[in-house]
Structure formats: structure tokens, C-alpha cells
Amino acid sequence: MTDKLITANHLSDGLVVFLTASGGWSYRLADARVIPDAELEDALRHAKAQQEALIVVDPYEIEATVDADGLPVPVRLREKIRAAGGPTVTYGEAEIAARAALLNQAG
């Protein structure tokens, strides 16, 4: 059985974010809210409102499992790459440093 998470891209910097239990967004997959099917529709409605408020872009649900430590793990390779900070191509040193700085600021 798979659980659901909601992911999007943060409007201000384009980085991948995950909906948290408090209704905010986090760059860290570990902070993602694992959503039961009964609550998914409401969570998606909240995420769409966040898009309308110009906080995130293109929120959508993804399938995930929960590992032995209670952390969510995306099922699809695409989502694993996004959660790991993708992409799979190498940037120049300046781009890598800037991206690392943004992710470090996020926690």
C-alpha cells in the first residue's frame, strides 16, 4: 500500500517543496506530510489555494512509502530525483554552490 504526499515547486526560487503537516512547505522530504486517502482531497484543495496565492507552482500528489524510520520515500524514480534535489545533469560550480546554499538555508 502506498501513501500520498503533495509536492510542488516554490514560486520564488523554483525548488521542489513538500506540503507539511502544518500546511506550509518544506524543501526537505523528511518534513512532508503523509496524507491518508480520506484527507487527500482537502490537502490538494489547500495546495491549489497556495498556488493561487502565488506561493507554489503546480502542486500535485505523489505516491510514497514510509520506511522503517518513519520517513516518506517516493515510489517513482522521477519523484526520487526531485526529492534528492535533482536534476541528474551537472551544473557549473557557481550554480551548484548557489543551489547548495538555498537548500542549506531551508534546513
Side-chain angles (χ1 to χ4, degrees), residues 6-10 15-19 25 56-60 82:
I6 296 179
T7 186
N9 289 85
H10 201 267
L15 294 177
V16 174
V17 289
F18 299 92
L19 185 65
W25 297 92
V56 296
V57 178
D58 193 28
Y60 62 96
R82 284 174 44 86

Side-chain angles (χ1 to χ4, degrees), residues 3 9 19 30 34-35 43 48 56 64 68 92 101:
D3 294 299
N9 289 85
L19 185 65
V34 178
I35 305 167
K48 296 289 184 183
V56 296

Side-chain angles (χ1 to χ4, degrees), residues 22-99:
S22 66
W25 297 92
S26 176
Y27 296 100
R28 294 169 18 100
L29 176 63
D31 296 337
R33 173 184 172 198
V34 178
I35 305 167
D37 286 337
E39 298 174 20
L40 183 60
E41 189 174 321
D42 287 339
L44 282 169
R45 192 175 4 265
H46 171 74
K48 296 289 184 183
Q50 295 280 290
Q51 177 174 304
E52 291 172 10
L54 303 177
I55 297 167
V56 296
V57 178
D58 193 28
Y60 62 96
E61 70 182 83
I62 64 171
E63 292 184 338
T65 58
V66 176
D67 71 12
D69 295 323
L71 299 174
V73 178
V75 171
R76 294 183 54 215
L77 178 60
R78 175 183 191 270
E79 302 307 335
K80 288 179 182 181
I81 292 168
R82 284 174 44 86
T88 57
V89 298
T90 303
Y91 285 114
E93 288 184 30
E95 291 87 352
I96 291 171
R99 185 176 192 86

